[in-house]
Amino acid sequence: MMKNLRFAKVFLLFSLILLLAACSQSSSAPATSPAAAPAPETQEVKEITLATTTSTQDSGLLDYLLPIFEQQSGIKVKVVAVGTGQAIKLGEDGNADVLLVHARKSEDEFVAKGFGVNAFDVMYNQFYIVGPADDPAGVKQAKTAKEAFGKIAEKKATFISRGDDSGTDKKEKGIWTEAKIKPEDSWYLSSGQGMGETLQMTDEKKAYTLTDEATFLSRKLNLDVVMQGDKSLLNPYGIIQVKSSAKQEEGMKLIEFFTGAEGQKLIGEFGQKDYGKGLFVPDAKKR
Amino acid sequence: MMLTQDVWEVISLSLKVTTSSVLLGMLMGIPFGAFLGLYSFPGKRLIIALIYTCMGLPPVLVGVIVYLLLSRYGPLGSLDLLFSAEAMIIAQVVLVTPILAGLTMAAVHGKERTYWETAKSLGATPLQMMLTIIREARGGIWSGVAAAFGRAISEVGAVMLVGGNIEHHTRVMTTAIILETRTGNFTAGLQLGLVLLAISFLFNSFLMVGMMNQMKSRRR
Protein backbone atom coordinates (compact mmCIF):
# COMPACT_ATOMS: atom_id res chain seq x y z
CA MET A 1 0.00 0.00 0.00
CA MET A 2 2.70 2.44 1.06
CA LYS A 3 4.76 1.43 -1.87
CA ASN A 4 1.88 2.09 -4.21
CA LEU A 5 1.39 5.51 -2.76
CA ARG A 6 5.02 6.38 -3.18
CA PHE A 7 4.94 5.13 -6.73
CA ALA A 8 1.94 7.31 -7.41
CA LYS A 9 3.73 10.33 -5.99
CA VAL A 10 6.81 9.73 -8.05
CA PHE A 11 4.67 9.19 -11.10
CA LEU A 12 2.77 12.42 -10.51
CA LEU A 13 5.97 14.37 -9.99
CA PHE A 14 7.44 12.88 -13.08
CA SER A 15 4.47 13.72 -15.27
CA LEU A 16 4.45 17.25 -13.84
CA ILE A 17 8.07 17.69 -14.82
CA LEU A 18 7.36 16.38 -18.26
CA LEU A 19 4.45 18.77 -18.63
CA LEU A 20 6.55 21.73 -17.54
CA ALA A 21 9.29 20.73 -19.87
CA ALA A 22 6.82 20.52 -22.73
CA CYS A 23 5.48 23.96 -21.90
CA SER A 24 8.80 25.66 -21.58
CA GLN A 25 9.99 24.06 -24.75
CA SER A 26 7.15 25.50 -26.78
CA SER A 27 7.77 28.97 -25.37
CA SER A 28 11.52 28.79 -25.70
CA ALA A 29 11.38 27.64 -29.30
CA PRO A 30 10.73 31.10 -30.78
CA ALA A 31 13.10 32.65 -28.21
CA THR A 32 16.10 30.79 -29.57
CA SER A 33 16.08 32.50 -32.94
CA PRO A 34 16.02 36.06 -31.50
CA ALA A 35 19.13 35.12 -29.53
CA ALA A 36 20.90 35.03 -32.85
CA ALA A 37 19.21 38.16 -34.16
CA PRO A 38 17.99 40.36 -31.27
CA ALA A 39 15.99 42.80 -33.42
CA PRO A 40 12.97 40.59 -34.15
CA GLU A 41 12.61 39.66 -30.49
CA THR A 42 11.82 43.18 -29.39
CA GLN A 43 9.35 43.48 -32.25
CA GLU A 44 7.51 40.40 -31.16
CA VAL A 45 6.68 41.81 -27.73
CA LYS A 46 5.10 44.98 -29.09
CA GLU A 47 1.35 44.91 -28.94
CA ILE A 48 -1.03 47.78 -28.45
CA THR A 49 -4.75 48.02 -27.83
CA LEU A 50 -6.88 50.22 -30.04
CA ALA A 51 -10.31 51.00 -28.61
CA THR A 52 -12.62 52.03 -31.41
CA THR A 53 -16.24 52.27 -32.43
CA THR A 54 -18.16 49.44 -34.01
CA SER A 55 -18.46 51.43 -37.25
CA THR A 56 -14.75 51.30 -38.12
CA GLN A 57 -14.69 47.57 -37.42
CA ASP A 58 -18.02 46.67 -39.06
CA SER A 59 -17.25 48.63 -42.22
CA GLY A 60 -14.05 46.63 -42.67
CA LEU A 61 -11.75 49.67 -42.59
CA LEU A 62 -9.57 48.27 -39.83
CA ASP A 63 -9.24 44.88 -41.48
CA TYR A 64 -7.99 46.78 -44.49
CA LEU A 65 -5.57 49.17 -42.77
CA LEU A 66 -4.16 47.34 -39.78
CA PRO A 67 -2.46 44.42 -41.56
CA ILE A 68 -0.49 46.97 -43.58
CA PHE A 69 0.52 48.84 -40.43
CA GLU A 70 1.43 45.63 -38.61
CA GLN A 71 3.61 44.52 -41.47
CA GLN A 72 5.43 47.84 -41.72
CA SER A 73 5.98 48.46 -38.03
CA GLY A 74 6.01 45.00 -36.51
CA ILE A 75 3.55 46.24 -33.88
CA LYS A 76 0.48 44.10 -33.35
CA VAL A 77 -2.79 45.94 -32.85
CA LYS A 78 -5.53 44.42 -30.71
CA VAL A 79 -8.85 45.98 -31.64
CA VAL A 80 -11.64 46.41 -29.11
CA ALA A 81 -14.68 47.56 -31.07
CA VAL A 82 -17.37 49.01 -28.81
CA GLY A 83 -19.61 52.08 -28.61
CA THR A 84 -17.79 55.43 -28.38
CA GLY A 85 -18.99 55.76 -24.76
CA GLN A 86 -17.31 52.55 -23.74
CA ALA A 87 -14.25 53.19 -25.89
CA ILE A 88 -13.64 56.45 -24.04
CA LYS A 89 -14.26 54.70 -20.73
CA LEU A 90 -11.65 52.11 -21.69
CA GLY A 91 -9.20 54.94 -22.27
CA GLU A 92 -10.00 56.57 -18.92
CA ASP A 93 -9.41 53.28 -17.12
CA GLY A 94 -6.13 52.75 -18.94
CA ASN A 95 -7.38 49.64 -20.69
CA ALA A 96 -6.48 50.92 -24.15
CA ASP A 97 -3.46 52.67 -25.66
CA VAL A 98 -5.09 54.54 -28.53
CA LEU A 99 -8.68 55.60 -29.22
CA LEU A 100 -10.26 55.97 -32.66
CA VAL A 101 -13.71 57.39 -32.03
CA HIS A 102 -16.32 59.83 -33.30
CA ALA A 103 -17.95 62.02 -30.68
CA ARG A 104 -16.14 65.33 -30.77
CA LYS A 105 -17.57 66.68 -27.53
CA SER A 106 -16.63 63.62 -25.49
CA GLU A 107 -13.23 63.53 -27.19
CA ASP A 108 -12.50 67.13 -26.20
CA GLU A 109 -13.58 66.40 -22.64
CA PHE A 110 -11.34 63.35 -22.61
CA VAL A 111 -8.35 65.46 -23.57
CA ALA A 112 -9.33 68.37 -21.31
CA LYS A 113 -9.60 66.07 -18.29
CA GLY A 114 -6.01 65.03 -18.93
CA PHE A 115 -6.73 61.45 -20.03
CA GLY A 116 -5.56 61.92 -23.60
CA VAL A 117 -2.79 63.58 -25.59
CA ASN A 118 -1.92 63.99 -29.27
CA ALA A 119 -5.46 64.28 -30.58
CA PHE A 120 -5.80 64.37 -34.36
CA ASP A 121 -8.64 64.62 -36.82
CA VAL A 122 -8.35 61.56 -39.04
CA MET A 123 -11.23 61.41 -41.44
CA TYR A 124 -14.93 61.96 -41.65
CA ASN A 125 -17.92 60.31 -43.14
CA GLN A 126 -21.57 61.20 -43.27
CA PHE A 127 -24.64 60.27 -41.34
CA TYR A 128 -27.76 59.42 -43.27
CA ILE A 129 -31.34 59.40 -42.17
CA VAL A 130 -32.72 56.22 -43.69
CA GLY A 131 -36.23 54.87 -43.88
CA PRO A 132 -38.69 52.82 -45.92
CA ALA A 133 -38.72 53.50 -49.67
CA ASP A 134 -42.31 54.82 -49.63
CA ASP A 135 -41.28 57.38 -46.99
CA PRO A 136 -44.58 57.61 -45.06
CA ALA A 137 -43.43 60.59 -43.01
CA GLY A 138 -42.39 62.57 -46.08
CA VAL A 139 -38.87 63.11 -44.81
CA LYS A 140 -37.51 63.48 -48.35
CA GLN A 141 -39.11 66.92 -48.58
CA ALA A 142 -37.25 68.16 -45.53
CA LYS A 143 -34.31 70.54 -46.04
CA THR A 144 -32.37 69.90 -42.85
CA ALA A 145 -31.89 67.02 -40.46
CA LYS A 146 -33.71 69.01 -37.79
CA GLU A 147 -36.71 69.40 -40.05
CA ALA A 148 -36.60 65.71 -40.99
CA PHE A 149 -36.77 64.64 -37.36
CA GLY A 150 -39.63 67.07 -36.88
CA LYS A 151 -41.61 65.37 -39.65
CA ILE A 152 -40.99 61.92 -38.18
CA ALA A 153 -42.20 63.04 -34.75
CA GLU A 154 -45.20 64.80 -36.22
CA LYS A 155 -46.33 61.68 -38.14
CA LYS A 156 -45.37 59.46 -35.20
CA ALA A 157 -43.50 57.24 -37.65
CA THR A 158 -41.51 54.54 -35.90
CA PHE A 159 -37.96 55.70 -35.23
CA ILE A 160 -35.31 53.35 -33.89
CA SER A 161 -32.58 54.81 -31.77
CA ARG A 162 -29.32 53.08 -30.93
CA GLY A 163 -29.76 54.13 -27.31
CA ASP A 164 -26.30 52.81 -26.47
CA ASP A 165 -24.45 56.05 -25.82
CA SER A 166 -22.40 55.54 -28.98
CA GLY A 167 -21.19 58.33 -31.24
CA THR A 168 -24.13 57.82 -33.58
CA ASP A 169 -26.50 57.78 -30.63
CA LYS A 170 -25.07 61.04 -29.31
CA LYS A 171 -25.38 62.60 -32.74
CA GLU A 172 -29.02 61.54 -32.93
CA LYS A 173 -29.84 62.85 -29.45
CA GLY A 174 -28.14 66.10 -30.42
CA ILE A 175 -30.42 66.53 -33.44
CA TRP A 176 -33.55 65.90 -31.33
CA THR A 177 -32.37 68.55 -28.87
CA GLU A 178 -31.73 70.99 -31.72
CA ALA A 179 -35.21 70.30 -33.08
CA LYS A 180 -36.59 70.89 -29.55
CA ILE A 181 -38.40 67.56 -29.54
CA LYS A 182 -38.38 65.12 -26.66
CA PRO A 183 -38.91 61.74 -28.33
CA GLU A 184 -40.44 59.40 -25.80
CA ASP A 185 -43.69 58.09 -27.20
CA SER A 186 -44.34 54.55 -28.35
CA TRP A 187 -43.12 55.40 -31.86
CA TYR A 188 -39.62 55.97 -30.52
CA LEU A 189 -37.82 52.69 -29.84
CA SER A 190 -34.41 52.30 -28.26
CA SER A 191 -32.61 49.16 -29.40
CA GLY A 192 -29.51 49.38 -27.22
CA GLN A 193 -27.55 47.57 -29.92
CA GLY A 194 -24.96 48.25 -32.58
CA MET A 195 -25.58 49.99 -35.92
CA GLY A 196 -25.86 46.78 -37.94
CA GLU A 197 -28.50 45.29 -35.66
CA THR A 198 -30.35 48.58 -35.44
CA LEU A 199 -30.46 48.90 -39.25
CA GLN A 200 -31.78 45.36 -39.51
CA MET A 201 -34.49 46.20 -36.99
CA THR A 202 -35.32 49.39 -38.87
CA ASP A 203 -35.78 47.36 -42.04
CA GLU A 204 -37.96 44.77 -40.28
CA LYS A 205 -40.14 47.39 -38.65
CA LYS A 206 -40.33 49.72 -41.70
CA ALA A 207 -39.02 52.45 -39.48
CA TYR A 208 -36.55 55.36 -39.67
CA THR A 209 -33.13 55.63 -38.12
CA LEU A 210 -29.93 57.65 -38.17
CA THR A 211 -26.98 55.68 -39.48
CA ASP A 212 -23.37 56.23 -40.40
CA GLU A 213 -22.66 55.93 -44.10
CA ALA A 214 -20.13 53.11 -43.86
CA THR A 215 -22.31 50.66 -41.99
CA PHE A 216 -25.32 51.51 -44.17
CA LEU A 217 -23.48 50.98 -47.45
CA SER A 218 -21.97 47.72 -46.29
CA ARG A 219 -25.43 46.21 -45.65
CA LYS A 220 -27.90 45.28 -48.32
CA LEU A 221 -31.26 46.34 -46.96
CA ASN A 222 -34.57 47.60 -48.29
CA LEU A 223 -34.01 51.03 -46.86
CA ASP A 224 -33.63 54.33 -48.69
CA VAL A 225 -31.55 57.34 -47.77
CA VAL A 226 -34.20 59.96 -47.06
CA MET A 227 -31.87 62.74 -45.93
CA GLN A 228 -28.20 63.42 -46.52
CA GLY A 229 -25.75 66.24 -47.04
CA ASP A 230 -26.97 68.43 -44.21
CA LYS A 231 -24.08 70.01 -42.32
CA SER A 232 -25.21 68.61 -39.00
CA LEU A 233 -24.91 65.12 -40.47
CA LEU A 234 -21.12 65.18 -40.84
CA ASN A 235 -19.31 62.60 -38.76
CA PRO A 236 -15.69 63.39 -37.93
CA TYR A 237 -13.42 60.72 -36.46
CA GLY A 238 -10.60 61.52 -34.10
CA ILE A 239 -7.59 59.52 -32.99
CA ILE A 240 -6.25 60.14 -29.50
CA GLN A 241 -3.42 58.70 -27.50
CA VAL A 242 -4.17 57.58 -23.94
CA LYS A 243 -1.90 59.48 -21.59
CA SER A 244 -1.52 56.70 -19.03
CA SER A 245 -0.53 54.19 -21.72
CA ALA A 246 2.80 52.45 -21.13
CA LYS A 247 3.36 52.18 -24.88
CA GLN A 248 3.67 55.81 -25.92
CA GLU A 249 6.10 55.17 -28.73
CA GLU A 250 4.12 52.37 -30.36
CA GLY A 251 0.86 54.28 -29.92
CA MET A 252 2.36 57.32 -31.61
CA LYS A 253 3.47 55.15 -34.50
CA LEU A 254 -0.11 54.02 -35.04
CA ILE A 255 -1.34 57.62 -34.94
CA GLU A 256 1.37 58.66 -37.40
CA PHE A 257 0.28 55.87 -39.70
CA PHE A 258 -3.39 56.92 -39.65
CA THR A 259 -2.60 60.62 -40.14
CA GLY A 260 0.40 60.22 -42.44
CA ALA A 261 0.37 60.42 -46.22
CA GLU A 262 0.12 56.69 -46.87
CA GLY A 263 -2.56 55.96 -44.28
CA GLN A 264 -4.62 58.90 -45.50
CA LYS A 265 -4.39 57.69 -49.07
CA LEU A 266 -5.49 54.20 -48.03
CA ILE A 267 -8.41 55.61 -46.05
CA GLY A 268 -9.56 57.59 -49.07
CA GLU A 269 -9.39 54.55 -51.30
CA PHE A 270 -11.18 52.22 -48.93
CA GLY A 271 -14.54 51.08 -50.25
CA GLN A 272 -14.17 52.59 -53.73
CA LYS A 273 -14.02 49.19 -55.32
CA ASP A 274 -17.15 47.84 -53.66
CA TYR A 275 -19.37 50.88 -53.34
CA GLY A 276 -18.21 53.14 -56.14
CA LYS A 277 -17.17 55.78 -53.63
CA GLY A 278 -14.88 55.94 -50.64
CA LEU A 279 -16.57 55.31 -47.30
CA PHE A 280 -14.38 57.78 -45.44
CA VAL A 281 -12.92 61.14 -46.45
CA PRO A 282 -9.39 61.64 -45.09
CA ASP A 283 -8.75 65.02 -43.44
CA ALA A 284 -5.88 64.56 -41.00
CA LYS A 285 -4.83 67.52 -38.93
CA LYS A 286 -3.56 68.11 -35.42
CA ARG A 287 -6.12 69.61 -33.12
CA MET B 1 -29.62 52.85 -10.73
CA MET B 2 -30.71 50.35 -8.10
CA LEU B 3 -34.43 49.57 -8.32
CA THR B 4 -35.67 52.50 -10.31
CA GLN B 5 -38.85 51.95 -12.25
CA ASP B 6 -36.88 51.01 -15.36
CA VAL B 7 -35.04 48.29 -13.49
CA TRP B 8 -38.27 46.85 -12.10
CA GLU B 9 -39.69 46.83 -15.61
CA VAL B 10 -36.70 44.88 -16.88
CA ILE B 11 -36.85 42.38 -14.01
CA SER B 12 -40.58 41.81 -14.33
CA LEU B 13 -40.33 41.29 -18.10
CA SER B 14 -37.54 38.76 -17.53
CA LEU B 15 -39.71 36.87 -15.06
CA LYS B 16 -42.77 37.03 -17.32
CA VAL B 17 -40.94 35.73 -20.37
CA THR B 18 -39.15 33.02 -18.43
CA THR B 19 -42.19 31.75 -16.54
CA SER B 20 -44.36 31.72 -19.66
CA SER B 21 -41.80 29.78 -21.63
CA VAL B 22 -41.16 27.28 -18.83
CA LEU B 23 -44.92 26.74 -18.35
CA LEU B 24 -45.47 26.24 -22.07
CA GLY B 25 -42.44 23.97 -22.20
CA MET B 26 -43.83 21.93 -19.30
CA LEU B 27 -47.17 21.50 -21.07
CA MET B 28 -45.41 19.94 -24.04
CA GLY B 29 -42.24 18.47 -22.60
CA ILE B 30 -43.57 16.61 -19.57
CA PRO B 31 -46.28 14.54 -21.32
CA PHE B 32 -43.94 13.85 -24.21
CA GLY B 33 -41.11 12.83 -21.87
CA ALA B 34 -43.46 10.61 -19.85
CA PHE B 35 -44.69 8.96 -23.03
CA LEU B 36 -41.11 8.26 -24.11
CA GLY B 37 -40.27 6.87 -20.69
CA LEU B 38 -43.25 4.53 -20.69
CA TYR B 39 -43.71 3.19 -24.17
CA SER B 40 -41.28 1.68 -26.60
CA PHE B 41 -41.76 1.87 -30.34
CA PRO B 42 -39.58 1.70 -33.44
CA GLY B 43 -37.42 4.78 -33.86
CA LYS B 44 -37.49 5.62 -30.17
CA ARG B 45 -33.71 5.57 -29.91
CA LEU B 46 -33.38 8.14 -32.66
CA ILE B 47 -35.91 10.41 -30.94
CA ILE B 48 -34.05 10.08 -27.63
CA ALA B 49 -30.76 10.91 -29.32
CA LEU B 50 -32.41 13.96 -30.91
CA ILE B 51 -33.82 15.13 -27.57
CA TYR B 52 -30.47 14.80 -25.83
CA THR B 53 -28.84 16.75 -28.66
CA CYS B 54 -31.48 19.46 -28.40
CA MET B 55 -30.91 19.74 -24.64
CA GLY B 56 -27.60 21.35 -25.50
CA LEU B 57 -28.90 23.39 -28.42
CA PRO B 58 -26.87 26.62 -28.80
CA PRO B 59 -29.25 29.48 -27.94
CA VAL B 60 -27.79 31.68 -30.66
CA LEU B 61 -28.66 29.09 -33.29
CA VAL B 62 -32.24 28.92 -32.01
CA GLY B 63 -32.26 32.70 -32.09
CA VAL B 64 -31.17 32.84 -35.72
CA ILE B 65 -33.73 30.24 -36.81
CA VAL B 66 -36.62 31.90 -34.98
CA TYR B 67 -35.44 35.26 -36.34
CA LEU B 68 -35.50 34.00 -39.92
CA LEU B 69 -38.93 32.41 -39.43
CA LEU B 70 -40.46 35.56 -37.95
CA SER B 71 -38.64 38.07 -40.17
CA ARG B 72 -40.76 40.30 -42.37
CA TYR B 73 -39.19 38.47 -45.30
CA GLY B 74 -39.60 35.05 -43.68
CA PRO B 75 -42.44 32.49 -43.83
CA LEU B 76 -44.19 33.77 -40.68
CA GLY B 77 -43.47 37.43 -41.35
CA SER B 78 -47.14 38.36 -41.65
CA LEU B 79 -47.63 37.65 -37.94
CA ASP B 80 -45.44 40.69 -37.17
CA LEU B 81 -43.98 38.97 -34.12
CA LEU B 82 -40.27 39.74 -34.51
CA PHE B 83 -38.88 42.00 -31.77
CA SER B 84 -41.72 41.27 -29.37
CA ALA B 85 -41.96 39.47 -26.03
CA GLU B 86 -43.85 36.68 -27.83
CA ALA B 87 -40.86 36.08 -30.09
CA MET B 88 -38.61 35.73 -27.05
CA ILE B 89 -41.04 33.23 -25.51
CA ILE B 90 -41.11 31.18 -28.72
CA ALA B 91 -37.32 30.97 -28.80
CA GLN B 92 -37.13 30.01 -25.13
CA VAL B 93 -39.83 27.36 -25.45
CA VAL B 94 -37.69 25.76 -28.16
CA LEU B 95 -34.75 25.84 -25.75
CA VAL B 96 -36.43 24.50 -22.61
CA THR B 97 -38.85 21.88 -23.99
CA PRO B 98 -36.11 19.33 -24.81
CA ILE B 99 -34.66 19.76 -21.31
CA LEU B 100 -38.06 19.15 -19.74
CA ALA B 101 -38.79 16.20 -22.02
CA GLY B 102 -35.37 14.63 -21.52
CA LEU B 103 -35.28 14.91 -17.73
CA THR B 104 -38.93 13.80 -17.41
CA MET B 105 -38.13 10.79 -19.54
CA ALA B 106 -35.18 9.88 -17.33
CA ALA B 107 -37.21 10.35 -14.14
CA VAL B 108 -40.17 8.34 -15.42
CA HIS B 109 -37.95 5.62 -16.72
CA GLY B 110 -36.48 5.12 -13.26
CA LYS B 111 -39.91 4.62 -11.69
CA GLU B 112 -41.54 2.85 -14.53
CA ARG B 113 -41.86 -0.83 -13.83
CA THR B 114 -43.27 -1.09 -10.32
CA TYR B 115 -45.79 1.73 -10.53
CA TRP B 116 -46.73 0.94 -14.06
CA GLU B 117 -47.61 -2.63 -13.23
CA THR B 118 -49.44 -1.77 -10.04
CA ALA B 119 -51.53 0.86 -11.76
CA LYS B 120 -52.23 -1.46 -14.64
CA SER B 121 -53.31 -4.30 -12.38
CA LEU B 122 -55.69 -1.93 -10.62
CA GLY B 123 -57.35 -1.31 -13.98
CA ALA B 124 -56.11 2.27 -14.64
CA THR B 125 -56.65 3.88 -18.03
CA PRO B 126 -53.51 4.95 -19.97
CA LEU B 127 -54.14 8.58 -18.97
CA GLN B 128 -54.48 7.66 -15.30
CA MET B 129 -51.36 5.55 -15.51
CA MET B 130 -49.43 8.43 -17.03
CA LEU B 131 -50.62 10.85 -14.35
CA THR B 132 -49.66 8.37 -11.62
CA ILE B 133 -46.19 7.95 -13.04
CA ILE B 134 -45.69 11.69 -13.42
CA ARG B 135 -46.75 12.16 -9.80
CA GLU B 136 -44.37 9.48 -8.62
CA ALA B 137 -41.47 10.84 -10.66
CA ARG B 138 -42.05 14.46 -9.63
CA GLY B 139 -38.66 14.78 -7.90
CA GLY B 140 -36.82 14.25 -11.15
CA ILE B 141 -39.31 16.33 -13.09
CA TRP B 142 -38.86 19.25 -10.70
CA SER B 143 -35.14 19.21 -11.24
CA GLY B 144 -35.94 19.40 -14.96
CA VAL B 145 -38.11 22.46 -14.28
CA ALA B 146 -35.28 24.03 -12.29
CA ALA B 147 -32.82 23.39 -15.10
CA ALA B 148 -35.25 24.81 -17.65
CA PHE B 149 -35.87 27.92 -15.55
CA GLY B 150 -32.17 28.47 -15.05
CA ARG B 151 -31.50 28.13 -18.74
CA ALA B 152 -34.33 30.46 -19.75
CA ILE B 153 -33.68 33.28 -17.31
CA SER B 154 -29.94 33.43 -17.86
CA GLU B 155 -30.10 33.05 -21.64
CA VAL B 156 -29.01 36.02 -23.72
CA GLY B 157 -28.12 35.03 -27.28
CA ALA B 158 -31.58 34.11 -28.49
CA VAL B 159 -33.54 36.84 -26.68
CA MET B 160 -31.11 39.47 -27.96
CA LEU B 161 -31.63 38.36 -31.55
CA VAL B 162 -35.39 37.89 -31.61
CA GLY B 163 -36.33 40.40 -28.90
CA GLY B 164 -33.95 43.12 -29.97
CA ASN B 165 -33.34 44.58 -26.48
CA ILE B 166 -35.87 47.38 -27.14
CA GLU B 167 -36.31 49.62 -24.13
CA HIS B 168 -39.73 49.27 -22.42
CA HIS B 169 -40.65 46.47 -24.86
CA THR B 170 -38.18 43.61 -24.98
CA ARG B 171 -35.33 44.61 -22.70
CA VAL B 172 -34.73 41.84 -20.15
CA MET B 173 -32.10 41.43 -17.47
CA THR B 174 -29.48 39.66 -19.55
CA THR B 175 -29.70 42.03 -22.53
CA ALA B 176 -29.71 45.01 -20.16
CA ILE B 177 -26.49 43.71 -18.61
CA ILE B 178 -24.89 43.56 -22.04
CA LEU B 179 -26.00 47.10 -22.84
CA GLU B 180 -24.77 48.48 -19.49
CA THR B 181 -21.40 46.84 -20.04
CA ARG B 182 -21.15 48.08 -23.62
CA THR B 183 -21.78 51.63 -22.49
CA GLY B 184 -19.21 51.40 -19.71
CA ASN B 185 -21.63 51.14 -16.75
CA PHE B 186 -19.98 48.12 -15.24
CA THR B 187 -21.50 48.76 -11.81
CA ALA B 188 -25.04 48.77 -13.14
CA GLY B 189 -24.32 45.62 -15.12
CA LEU B 190 -22.95 43.89 -12.07
CA GLN B 191 -25.90 44.95 -9.92
CA LEU B 192 -28.36 43.51 -12.42
CA GLY B 193 -26.26 40.37 -12.54
CA LEU B 194 -26.58 40.02 -8.77
CA VAL B 195 -30.36 40.41 -9.00
CA LEU B 196 -30.36 37.67 -11.61
CA LEU B 197 -28.31 35.45 -9.34
CA ALA B 198 -30.61 36.13 -6.39
CA ILE B 199 -33.71 35.18 -8.40
CA SER B 200 -32.07 31.99 -9.58
CA PHE B 201 -31.04 31.18 -6.01
CA LEU B 202 -34.53 31.79 -4.61
CA PHE B 203 -36.20 29.71 -7.28
CA ASN B 204 -33.80 26.83 -6.90
CA SER B 205 -34.03 26.85 -3.11
CA PHE B 206 -37.80 26.46 -3.34
CA LEU B 207 -37.32 23.48 -5.60
CA MET B 208 -34.64 22.04 -3.37
CA VAL B 209 -36.88 22.29 -0.29
CA GLY B 210 -39.63 20.54 -2.21
CA MET B 211 -37.33 17.78 -3.33
CA MET B 212 -35.84 17.32 0.13
CA ASN B 213 -39.31 16.96 1.65
CA GLN B 214 -40.18 14.37 -0.92
CA MET B 215 -37.04 12.40 -0.21
CA LYS B 216 -37.78 12.44 3.52
CA SER B 217 -41.33 11.26 3.05
CA ARG B 218 -40.13 8.45 0.84
CA ARG B 219 -37.64 7.26 3.41
CA ARG B 220 -40.37 6.84 6.02
Side-chain angles (χ1 to χ4, degrees):
Chain A
M1 191 62 199
M2 277 298 280
K3 215 174 177 184
N4 268 345
L5 201 68
R6 181 177 289 171
F7 175 74
K9 273 186 188 165
V10 171
F11 180 74
L12 257 176
L13 198 71
F14 189 66
S15 40
L16 199 69
I17 292 170
L18 266 183
L19 196 76
L20 281 174
C23 288
S24 63
Q25 195 157 40
S26 60
S27 62
S28 69
T32 45
S33 53
E41 188 202 24
T42 47
Q43 275 194 356
E44 216 161 325
V45 194
K46 284 181 189 167
E47 191 178 70
I48 58 172
T49 305
L50 173 69
T52 183
T53 65
T54 44
S55 49
T56 52
Q57 171 94 324
D58 291 354
S59 64
L61 177 72
L62 293 180
D63 293 336
Y64 173 72
L65 284 179
L66 291 180
I68 302 171
F69 170 72
E70 287 176 354
Q71 209 188 359
Q72 283 179 1
S73 63
I75 300 170
K76 275 207 78 67
V77 182
K78 279 194 297 182
V79 176
V80 185
V82 289
T84 294
Q86 192 184 345
I88 286 177
K89 178 89 178 152
L90 284 171
E92 284 177 10
D93 296 345
N95 288 325
D97 301 305
V98 179
L99 306 182
L100 176 64
V101 288
H102 59 115
R104 190 59 198 264
K105 239 169 106 187
S106 314
E107 288 166 36
D108 289 344
E109 269 170 34
F110 183 76
V111 174
K113 279 195 226 153
F115 290 115
V117 285
N118 298 326
F120 285 86
D121 290 336
V122 182
M123 58 193 184
Y124 66 85
N125 64 351
Q126 286 191 62
F127 284 114
Y128 291 152
I129 301 174
V130 298
D134 54 355
D135 191 19
V139 176
K140 279 174 183 163
Q141 278 107 53
K143 302 249 163 16
T144 63
K146 220 166 73 179
E147 206 180 308
F149 273 30
K151 280 184 185 290
I152 292 170
E154 197 182 303
K155 289 268 162 50
K156 294 195 186 301
T158 310
F159 185 95
I160 301 185
S161 163
R162 291 271 296 270
D164 63 350
D165 207 22
S166 61
T168 313
D169 188 49
K170 285 179 176 167
K171 187 92 193 173
E172 179 220 308
K173 299 274 160 30
I175 299 175
W176 287 116
T177 317
E178 249 177 74
K180 300 199 175 63
I181 297 169
K182 216 173 165 210
E184 51 184 8
D185 234 345
S186 59
W187 56 270
Y188 184 79
L189 302 176
S190 177
S191 78
Q193 294 193 71
M195 197 69 249
E197 292 87 349
T198 304
L199 276 170
Q200 209 113 21
M201 198 182 282
T202 308
D203 185 21
E204 289 285 351
K205 287 207 171 269
K206 289 195 165 186
Y208 290 91
T209 194
L210 181 79
T211 172
D212 64 280
E213 186 184 32
T215 317
F216 180 71
L217 290 180
S218 62
R219 307 264 160 153
K220 303 268 179 292
L221 294 164
N222 293 326
L223 290 169
D224 271 15
V225 177
V226 291
M227 157 66 65
Q228 63 172 313
D230 184 30
K231 220 176 170 190
S232 65
L233 292 180
L234 285 185
N235 181 26
Y237 284 76
I239 194 163
I240 309 172
Q241 185 160 31
V242 177
K243 206 173 179 182
S244 63
S245 157
K247 295 159 185 161
Q248 293 292 331
E249 193 191 324
E250 291 85 349
M252 201 55 220
K253 268 197 186 145
L254 182 67
I255 294 180
E256 277 164 7
F257 174 75
F258 268 91
T259 54
E262 194 197 354
Q264 290 281 298
K265 188 169 149 269
L266 289 169
I267 289 173
E269 282 168 5
F270 173 69
Q272 266 174 5
K273 224 188 292 161
D274 294 329
Y275 309 112
K277 59 178 288 207
L279 291 183
F280 297 92
V281 182
D283 71 333
K285 77 170 182 289
K286 178 125 174 72
R287 283 182 186 161
Chain B
M1 71 123 226
M2 212 49 191
L3 301 186
T4 59
Q5 204 194 332
D6 281 359
V7 178
W8 276 119
E9 192 183 72
V10 164
I11 294 174
S12 88
L13 183 65
S14 259
L15 287 174
K16 256 185 236 161
V17 168
T18 305
T19 346
S20 321
S21 38
V22 171
L23 284 178
L24 282 172
M26 282 167 76
L27 276 180
M28 293 186 278
I30 292 179
F32 187 55
F35 172 79
L36 283 177
L38 290 173
Y39 295 93
S40 37
F41 50 88
K44 182 177 167 180
R45 275 191 165 174
L46 179 70
I47 291 187
I48 292 177
L50 281 179
I51 285 187
Y52 280 133
T53 313
C54 291
M55 281 170 79
L57 218 52
V60 179
L61 177 66
V62 173
V64 174
I65 293 170
V66 174
Y67 185 102
L68 290 174
L69 285 175
L70 297 182
S71 161
R72 199 149 64 82
Y73 310 105
L76 301 176
S78 53
L79 298 176
D80 200 20
L81 278 178
L82 193 61
F83 303 128
S84 65
E86 287 83 357
M88 295 197 282
I89 293 174
I90 292 174
Q92 297 213 326
V93 167
V94 176
L95 283 172
V96 300
T97 307
I99 297 179
L100 287 159
L103 292 181
T104 303
M105 182 181 72
V108 165
H109 200 74
K111 299 278 177 191
E112 183 204 6
R113 197 156 297 149
T114 39
Y115 291 96
W116 183 246
E117 273 157 15
T118 320
K120 206 171 177 183
S121 68
L122 291 172
T125 65
L127 184 68
Q128 283 173 322
M129 292 198 295
M130 200 176 261
L131 287 177
T132 315
I133 294 280
I134 289 179
R135 201 175 310 136
E136 289 307 324
R138 62 182 180 273
I141 294 177
W142 276 129
S143 58
V145 173
F149 185 88
R151 171 124 162 145
I153 201 157
S154 62
E155 193 281 319
V156 59
V159 292
M160 187 67 136
L161 275 172
V162 304
N165 187 29
I166 300 174
E167 198 179 12
H168 308 310
H169 291 85
T170 58
R171 183 162 299 165
V172 291
M173 276 191 275
T174 49
T175 57
I177 291 174
I178 291 207
L179 175 61
E180 296 294 356
T181 312
R182 284 211 320 128
T183 49
N185 294 328
F186 294 100
T187 332
L190 208 57
Q191 281 169 344
L192 264 177
L194 287 176
V195 174
L196 189 62
L197 201 63
I199 291 174
S200 249
F201 177 76
L202 270 178
F203 183 83
N204 278 293
S205 351
F206 276 127
L207 282 180
M208 277 299 285
V209 170
M211 268 157 60
M212 294 291 220
N213 282 342
Q214 210 202 343
M215 275 182 198
K216 259 185 240 154
S217 65
R218 195 182 306 150
R219 219 170 282 149
R220 250 183 263 138

